[in-house]
Amino acid sequence: MGKCEQCIIREFNSLKSLTKQELTRISGCKVSKTIKKGEVLFKEGEHINGVYCIRDGICKVSKMSDNGRDQIINLIKKGDIIGERSLVNNEASNLKAIAVNDVQVCFIPKEEILNGLQNNIDFSMDMLKSMANSLKNADNVIVDMAQKTVKQRLAATLLFLHNKFKSNEDGYLDILLTREDIANIIGTATESAIRLLSEFNKKGYIKLKGKQVVVTNPTELQQIAQGF
Amino acid sequence: MGKCEQCIIREFNSLKSLTKQELTRISGCKVSKTIKKGEVLFKEGEHINGVYCIRDGICKVSKMSDNGRDQIINLIKKGDIIGERSLVNNEASNLKAIAVNDVQVCFIPKEEILNGLQNNIDFSMDMLKSMANSLKNADNVIVDMAQKTVKQRLAATLLFLHNKFKSNEDGYLDILLTREDIANIIGTATESAIRLLSEFNKKGYIKLKGKQVVVTNPTELQQIAQGF
DNA sequence: CGATTGCTTGACCCCCATCAATCCTCGTGG
DNA sequence: CCACGAGGATTGATGGGGGTCAAGCAATCG
């Protein structure tokens, strides 16, 4: 496999602050994996003992609720790192990660990351910033979940997907989620999500081409998401 | 005011990892404040330029949603620190903090904390752990908000308050929240919260003595929170 | 080419947001 | 000391949002 020192992906995450030396060390012990669509990267309760750096593809990160439904907490893609949290507080993962499409990841053992955190201030500051940002984001999600209607949340989610995953100028996404996935992001029943998607489609805010969802009127969706 | 080196409060948070020297420096430039019940510690959009260490009392930390309702994100008490996030990523606060009862805080300037993060690995690791923990917590809240009914969330919230704020053996809380506050934690209308509180009261899971809410049957509330 | 999985729509009903009226409680000023 | 006003607590009535069950259809796969 390639060498971390030459990997562009790390520019997108905290690993960019590591030194050449550190990267070389990591390069020597990292493990590259391919996870096929639908397969599990790690599951709840598992001890990950390291972090995953996503080189390509998309994973849905979810957590099982008491009522037995999977709530999707996050979608991670190329350049994202996952597993730092369990690593830092030395606990088993409380989340599950499943490949939405074929995914290539590099696994970096715990010791290497801890070593970096202990000896490289820039790296640990980057990690802190990244977590601080995730926390801010989580707060926003909590407020939305608590206060917004399902319709508002769907509009917000479509915009989120549009902004994070749109590939080319025609607005198609790099990601293909099932209706159930979308419902599990919003936190609603699949049928409710479907009905609202159909409504948005009729009104021309989005286009449904098979399973593809294309946002055609972001402005209007923004309005809806904010409650108008 | 007292000296940080001798302050017991810091044992409850990341500041415990600071050296005697660092604490002495901080002691010299910290500012102690008293915030009266209902007053604002800081508000959304404000540049805090430091962190607050709660010495006594309770603050509700909230965020305004698009529809104009305040969502309470967190309740912080003696020993908690707030403001690290905005400090780390150098942004204005996205949250508001209001004193629930009279609160005593120490304000520690940004530079001191940054200095600690730069030079004291133990301190920054503690901060990382603290944030990792908050993130795990936030994930749980997101799942609950997305998947649970208002009744379940109320039961869970009552248990949370019971565990975090119960003072003496008779189950009374150190905290006195209005019905509106409780509703704003759950993310529901005040009337809905009131109705359910009344229902729990009739069934004997809690006791309502004036504004005081006392949990009398945690086991049953646990069952409800999990959906039975 | 069955069979499984995902998508869609209809029907039903309960939860909960909202509006409204009343009661309670406490702090303030006369 | 009491009246009174304001904010909080409570209860009722009502309507819509959204969860759930069920049936039919489309698409994908071994």
Side-chain angles (χ1 to χ4, degrees):
Chain A
M1 265 299 163
K3 300 187 175 177
C4 297
E5 308 94 285
Q6 294 156 4
C7 180
I8 344 162
I9 298 296
R10 72 164 199 285
E11 287 305 321
F12 296 117
N13 59 48
S14 308
L15 300 177
K16 66 174 173 298
S17 300
L18 292 176
T19 64
K20 268 234 151 61
Q21 281 185 5
E22 287 164 337
L23 285 171
T24 312
R25 272 191 54 176
I26 289 179
S27 223
C29 62
K30 74 162 201 291
V31 183
S32 297
K33 292 185 190 177
T34 300
I35 314 288
K36 293 236 179 74
K37 176 179 175 175
E39 287 181 357
V40 175
L41 182 56
F42 58 82
K43 53 186 196 295
E44 289 183 58
E46 190 174 326
H47 286 270
I48 310 182
N49 286 320
V51 304
Y52 290 101
C53 177
I54 312 285
R55 283 179 50 210
D56 200 20
I58 297 170
C59 280
K60 52 180 176 182
V61 183
S62 65
K63 181 171 163 56
M64 187 68 78
S65 78
D66 290 329
N67 67 20
R69 289 175 58 92
D70 248 344
Q71 176 67 35
I72 297 180
I73 301 281
N74 201 4
L75 291 168
I76 54 176
K77 66 169 184 177
K78 186 200 291 184
D80 289 333
I81 280 190
I82 190 162
E84 341 85 75
R85 282 160 41 192
S86 305
L87 187 152
V88 164
N89 54 21
N90 206 26
E91 290 179 353
S93 171
N94 61 325
L95 302 174
K96 181 172 69 172
I98 292 186
V100 171
N101 46 27
D102 290 357
V103 168
Q104 293 178 32
V105 294
C106 288
F107 174 80
I108 304 173
K110 186 174 186 169
E111 299 74 32
E112 296 304 317
I113 301 296
L114 281 179
N115 179 60
L117 289 175
Q118 289 287 339
N119 301 316
N120 187 331
I121 290 287
D122 289 341
F123 180 57
S124 45
M125 277 302 287
D126 263 13
M127 195 74 96
L128 268 176
K129 280 180 195 169
S130 150
M131 286 201 189
N133 210 48
S134 300
L135 272 170
K136 191 175 79 173
N137 209 49
D139 285 344
N140 289 331
V141 174
I142 290 173
V143 174
D144 283 356
M145 287 293 180
Q147 304 265 357
K148 293 193 169 174
T149 65
V150 170
K151 186 188 285 193
Q152 289 176 291
R153 279 182 270 159
L154 175 59
T157 298
L158 290 172
L159 284 172
F160 167 76
L161 292 174
H162 183 66
N163 293 328
K164 184 158 183 175
F165 296 110
K166 70 163 175 283
S167 53
N168 36 32
E169 51 292 330
D170 59 3
Y172 275 77
L173 303 183
D174 283 333
I175 186 176
L176 199 52
L177 296 170
T178 66
R179 302 289 190 252
E180 190 181 7
D181 284 334
I182 295 177
N184 287 347
I185 298 174
I186 303 171
T188 189
T190 309
E191 299 94 323
S192 301
I194 289 178
R195 259 179 265 266
L196 288 170
L197 279 172
S198 163
E199 181 188 332
F200 286 173
N201 186 37
K202 280 204 188 88
K203 293 189 178 169
Y205 309 150
I206 61 174
K207 271 186 192 148
L208 298 177
K209 302 187 176 181
K211 301 185 176 179
Q212 272 281 4
V213 179
V214 184
V215 171
T216 51
N217 192 338
T219 322
E220 193 62 37
L221 285 179
Q222 185 73 41
Q223 295 289 319
I224 294 174
Q226 289 176 8
F228 301 107
Chain B
M1 265 301 167
K3 299 187 175 178
C4 297
E5 307 95 285
Q6 293 157 5
C7 179
I8 345 161
I9 298 297
R10 72 166 200 282
E11 287 305 321
F12 296 117
N13 59 47
S14 308
L15 300 178
K16 66 175 174 296
S17 300
L18 293 176
T19 63
K20 266 234 154 59
Q21 281 184 5
E22 288 164 336
L23 285 171
T24 313
R25 273 192 52 177
I26 289 179
S27 224
C29 62
K30 74 162 200 294
V31 183
S32 298
K33 291 185 192 177
T34 301
I35 313 288
K36 292 235 180 75
K37 176 176 176 176
E39 287 182 357
V40 175
L41 183 55
F42 58 82
K43 53 186 195 298
E44 289 182 59
E46 190 175 326
H47 286 270
I48 311 183
N49 287 318
V51 304
Y52 289 101
C53 177
I54 312 284
R55 283 179 50 211
D56 200 20
I58 297 170
C59 280
K60 52 181 178 182
V61 183
S62 65
K63 182 170 159 56
M64 187 69 75
S65 78
D66 289 330
N67 67 19
R69 290 175 55 95
D70 247 345
Q71 177 67 34
I72 295 181
I73 301 281
N74 200 3
L75 291 167
I76 54 175
K77 65 169 185 177
K78 186 200 290 184
D80 289 334
I81 280 191
I82 188 159
E84 342 84 75
R85 283 161 37 196
S86 305
L87 187 152
V88 163
N89 54 22
N90 207 25
E91 291 178 352
S93 172
N94 61 325
L95 302 174
K96 179 173 68 172
I98 293 186
V100 171
N101 46 29
D102 290 358
V103 168
Q104 293 179 31
V105 295
C106 288
F107 174 79
I108 304 173
K110 188 174 187 171
E111 299 75 32
E112 296 304 316
I113 301 296
L114 282 179
N115 178 60
L117 289 174
Q118 288 288 339
N119 301 316
N120 187 332
I121 290 289
D122 290 341
F123 181 56
S124 46
M125 279 301 287
D126 263 14
M127 193 75 94
L128 268 175
K129 279 180 193 168
S130 151
M131 285 201 188
N133 211 49
S134 299
L135 271 170
K136 191 175 79 174
N137 209 50
D139 285 344
N140 290 331
V141 174
I142 289 173
V143 175
D144 284 356
M145 286 293 180
Q147 305 266 358
K148 294 192 169 176
T149 65
V150 171
K151 186 188 283 194
Q152 289 175 292
R153 279 183 270 158
L154 176 59
T157 299
L158 289 171
L159 284 172
F160 167 76
L161 293 175
H162 182 66
N163 293 329
K164 185 158 183 175
F165 296 111
K166 70 161 174 284
S167 54
N168 37 31
E169 52 292 332
D170 59 4
Y172 275 76
L173 303 184
D174 283 335
I175 186 178
L176 199 52
L177 296 169
T178 66
R179 302 290 190 254
E180 190 182 6
D181 284 333
I182 295 177
N184 287 346
I185 297 174
I186 302 172
T188 188
T190 310
E191 299 94 322
S192 302
I194 289 179
R195 259 178 264 266
L196 288 169
L197 280 172
S198 163
E199 181 188 332
F200 286 173
N201 186 37
K202 282 206 188 82
K203 293 189 177 169
Y205 308 151
I206 61 175
K207 271 185 193 151
L208 297 177
K209 302 187 175 181
K211 301 184 178 178
Q212 273 281 4
V213 179
V214 185
V215 171
T216 52
N217 192 337
T219 322
E220 192 62 37
L221 284 180
Q222 184 73 42
Q223 295 288 319
I224 293 174
Q226 290 176 7
F228 300 106

